[in-house]
């Protein structure tokens, strides 16, 4: 069991081990180093995060984080402008 916290100032996703009560890992979203407006959505099962920048930017603006595997993937989409992102039912897709 994990708990995920998302830092708005430092753009870090922190994964906490609920049973041990310890920090499991930090995942820095360095893609957003120069971003001003970042939003987050955590999947209903609490194991995945999507983060997106709502500004029109020339760098990757959508990041997917897999908290269980401590991995992330980023993409540049919609000509640098994403207004909202969410997981579909069952977290199978990002909409």
């Amino acid at each position: 069991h994990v708990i995920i916290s998302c830092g708005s100032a430092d753009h870090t996703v922190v994964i906490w081990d609920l049973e041990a009560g310890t920090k499991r890992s930090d995942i820095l979203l360095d893609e957003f180093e120069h971003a001003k407006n970042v939003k987050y959505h955590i999947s209903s099962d609490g194991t995945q995060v999507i983060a997106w920048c709502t500004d029109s930017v020339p760098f990757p603006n959508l990041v997917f984080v897999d908290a269980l595997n401590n991995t992330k993937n980023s993409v540049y989409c919609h000509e640098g402008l994403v207004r909202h992102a969410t997981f579909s039912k069952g977290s199978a897709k990002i909409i």
Side-chain angles (χ1 to χ4, degrees), residues 69-82:
N69 295 313
N70 298 329
T71 59
K72 68 175 182 173
N73 288 309
S74 60
V75 296
Y76 178 79
C77 58
H78 297 289
E79 298 179 4
L81 185 61
V82 176

Side-chain angles (χ1 to χ4, degrees), residues 35-95:
K36 293 182 182 172
N37 298 301
V38 176
K39 298 194 181 253
Y40 299 91
H41 180 75
I42 301 172
S43 65
S44 59
D45 65 358
T47 62
Q48 301 170 335
V49 178
I50 47 175
W52 65 96
C53 179
T54 60
D55 305 314
S56 182
V57 295
F59 47 81
N61 59 349
L62 183 72
V63 179
F64 168 79
V65 177
D66 182 339
L68 296 181
N69 295 313
N70 298 329
T71 59
K72 68 175 182 173
N73 288 309
S74 60
V75 296
Y76 178 79
C77 58
H78 297 289
E79 298 179 4
L81 185 61
V82 176
R83 290 288 179 213
H84 186 75
T86 189
F87 288 102
S88 66
K89 188 174 182 177
S91 303
K93 296 179 184 179
I94 297 172
I95 303 170

Side-chain angles (χ1 to χ4, degrees), residues 20-40:
T22 58
K23 187 188 305 185
R24 185 172 167 184
S25 66
D26 290 336
I27 300 174
L28 175 63
L29 305 182
D30 50 352
E31 295 87 349
F32 296 146
E33 178 182 357
H34 301 289
K36 293 182 182 172
N37 298 301
V38 176
K39 298 194 181 253
Y40 299 91

